[in-house]
Amino acid sequence: GGGIELARAKHATDPYFLQPMEGVDGTGYRASWWTQFYCILWRSWLSVLKDPMLVKVRLLQTAMVASLIGSIYFGQVLDQDGVMNINGSLFLFLTNMTFQNVFAVINVFSAELPVFLREKRSRLYRVDTYFLGKTIAELPLFIAVPFVFTSITYPMIRLKAGVTHYLTTL
């Protein structure tokens, strides 16, 4: 009992901490997991829709990088040099797709960090609901970016022909 009273006294002076509510469930959160998830997903989705220029810039950047990589490795043939070049192009495929999404997430999360910390300390939502809601809201972009990149570079490099091979790469 004494520790809880001390914590309440400590947070009573913190203007960013919401005070405990009567009737909060045993987990200490103000809403169920699904309600938290829905609210975060909705807020994140509105955030994505609110900034269409960012989506356009990311897609344009992806198309430009894909065109550059495609022109560097244009029209590879299956000889010893071609196989080594294709190996290099696949390395760039993987690093570009990985780091482009990682940097996008870092950019978004660092911008939202103060709000996230304040709302997390106030026990408005769990970390897992925040992560899942943000990830699912940005899923269309996480799918569109590799689609644009692969659709440009795959035929330019002349990787293995066929829809199933293309879809496997995608």
Side-chain angles (χ1 to χ4, degrees), residues 5 9 11-12 15 23 26 50-51 72 79 82 86 108-109 112 123 134 140 159:
E5 295 303 321
H11 292 301
K50 188 173 66 176
D51 201 0
I72 291 171
D79 58 5
I86 289 172
V108 168
F109 188 72
E112 293 186 1
R123 302 190 58 79
K134 291 294 294 176
L159 294 174

Side-chain angles (χ1 to χ4, degrees), residues 16 40 43 108-122 124-125 130:
Y16 297 111
I40 294 296
R43 183 172 75 179
V108 168
F109 188 72
S110 63
E112 293 186 1
L113 187 61
V115 173
F116 169 76
L117 290 175
R118 181 179 68 232
E119 292 175 351
K120 171 72 176 92
R121 276 194 305 263
S122 298
L124 292 176
Y125 50 78
Y130 175 81

Side-chain angles (χ1 to χ4, degrees), residues 25 40 141:
D25 66 356
I40 294 296
L141 197 56

Side-chain angles (χ1 to χ4, degrees), residues 54-116:
L54 181 64
V55 173
K56 291 175 186 172
V57 166
R58 282 193 56 199
L59 292 174
L60 180 64
Q61 175 188 5
T62 299
M64 291 173 64
V65 170
S67 299
L68 177 66
I69 292 173
S71 62
I72 291 171
Y73 292 102
F74 187 78
Q76 295 299 314
V77 292
L78 287 177
D79 58 5
Q80 184 157 350
D81 289 336
V83 170
M84 294 302 289
N85 288 338
I86 289 172
N87 190 22
S89 71
L90 293 177
F91 174 77
L92 286 176
F93 252 75
L94 292 173
T95 55
N96 185 58
M97 288 299 95
T98 301
F99 288 117
Q100 191 168 26
N101 286 331
V102 166
F103 288 139
V105 169
I106 289 172
N107 184 32
V108 168
F109 188 72
S110 63
E112 293 186 1
L113 187 61
V115 173
F116 169 76

